[in-house]
Amino acid sequence: MTSTVERTREVWAAGDYQRVGVRLVPASEQLVADLGVRPGDRLLDVAGGTGNTALAAARRDADVVCSDIVPELLEHALRRAGLEGLEFTTEVADAGALPFPDGSFDVVVSTFGVVFAADPEQAARELLRVLRPGGRLGLTAWRPDAPGGRLVSLIARHDPQDAVGDPLRWGTPEGVEGLLGRGEVAQVRHTERTVDFTAPSLAAQWQRYRDWYAPVHVAWQRLDAAGRTALETEFTDMWGSSTRGGGPGVVVPNTYLQTTAVRCG
């Protein structure tokens, strides 16, 4: 029987996540700037995917480890680093069982990654365990009512088989504070930020997600014809109702919650 960890690895290795994830670079740059990442900081990027936040921290000369459950994503992250002349190390790791000693890092971050951990409480404990007392924590997650959050709900409704964890819980102040635990962190700051998602058309946006974004790609492959039609219709309706401007193409403001904190102790 395939374990949850193995299935999660299989799902996120599908498609071509880099083509979607690269659009979240502004969120990574914002987070490391707000955390005041400095040269020499030991920083761990949990569920770092193709390296957006690891790269942002490496540009600030931090000592970076990028971890993820999917080896293929980490290989892409290293290729990106090589192209930019940057360096960091990678580690294949489940967010719920990080292979690092207690208090190993000055900064621990995760941008739209740890939110998909199968056991959110355990993942939150691991984030804090590997962070030294006085170290800084930074997280980003989609607001439940934002297009990113609504997409999570949409996929889970149409194809619940691989819907694990509680990604929308990380996207509210009450939810993330409940996960981190009372008395574990101080100087907690929640900030709503927005990153624009663009596409030449709704049809192009749908094709990108169907072909590139792993949860949609996997759902599409598994659904029958009627299910595929329903998923595509709801997807395009959601993005169409969220687009702003009035000019050509699709411009969708996608709101997320950025949480920063300091570990007590």
Side-chain angles (χ1 to χ4, degrees):
M1 180 179 295
T2 302
S3 70
T4 300
V5 170
E6 290 169 340
R7 181 55 189 163
T8 299
R9 184 179 291 119
E10 290 174 0
V11 168
W12 285 98
D16 190 353
Y17 177 74
Q18 162 63 15
R19 292 176 178 264
V20 176
V22 71
R23 297 169 185 274
L24 296 171
V25 166
S28 294
E29 294 287 352
Q30 184 71 62
L31 181 62
V32 299
D34 287 352
L35 287 169
V37 173
R38 297 179 57 83
D41 274 340
R42 296 167 297 158
L43 182 144
L44 173 65
D45 184 9
V46 177
T50 55
N52 284 349
T53 308
L55 288 163
R59 292 186 195 105
R60 298 172 74 93
D61 294 296
D63 181 7
V64 178
V65 177
C66 184
S67 69
D68 198 276
I69 201 170
V70 184
E72 294 89 340
L73 299 184
L74 293 178
E75 290 169 5
H76 197 109
L78 286 175
R79 288 196 294 271
R80 292 175 72 189
L83 288 171
E84 293 195 35
L86 299 171
E87 292 185 3
F88 53 74
T89 60
T90 60
E91 186 79 32
V92 178
D94 175 12
L98 296 172
F100 308 106
D102 296 357
S104 298
F105 297 94
D106 304 303
V107 185
V108 173
V109 297
S110 185
T111 47
F112 309 102
V114 73
V115 301
F116 292 104
D119 185 338
E121 288 84 1
Q122 174 61 20
R125 285 192 291 270
E126 283 292 274
L127 294 176
L128 294 173
R129 180 186 65 79
V130 300
L131 182 62
R132 67 166 176 80
R136 292 105 72 201
L137 176 69
L139 304 169
T140 67
W142 296 120
R143 291 283 300 169
D145 55 351
R150 291 165 62 194
L151 178 60
V152 170
S153 298
L154 176 65
I155 297 167
R157 190 165 65 252
H158 282 271
D159 186 38
Q161 183 171 326
D162 289 317
V164 298
D166 194 358
L168 299 185
R169 186 176 174 190
W170 298 83
T172 67
E174 301 79 14
V176 72
E177 287 184 27
L179 286 167
L180 295 176
R182 183 174 300 176
E184 296 295 329
V185 291
Q187 301 178 41
V188 180
R189 180 181 177 87
H190 302 293
T191 309
E192 285 195 5
R193 300 196 180 280
T194 301
V195 60
D196 285 344
F197 275 31
T198 66
S201 66
L202 287 173
Q205 185 80 319
W206 164 247
Q207 184 175 1
R208 288 173 175 180
Y209 273 80
R210 185 197 66 197
D211 294 346
W212 299 342
Y213 185 60
V216 175
H217 181 78
V218 171
W220 174 259
Q221 290 181 318
R222 190 153 47 203
L223 291 170
D224 60 17
R228 288 180 172 184
T229 297
L231 178 60
E232 180 179 356
T233 298
E234 288 195 45
F235 178 97
T236 53
D237 286 349
M238 181 190 74
W239 288 101
S241 66
S242 301
T243 191
R244 297 292 180 266
V250 176
V251 179
V252 174
N254 218 339
T255 303
Y256 63 94
L257 182 72
Q258 176 183 287
T259 298
T260 59
V262 173
R263 186 188 169 193
C264 297

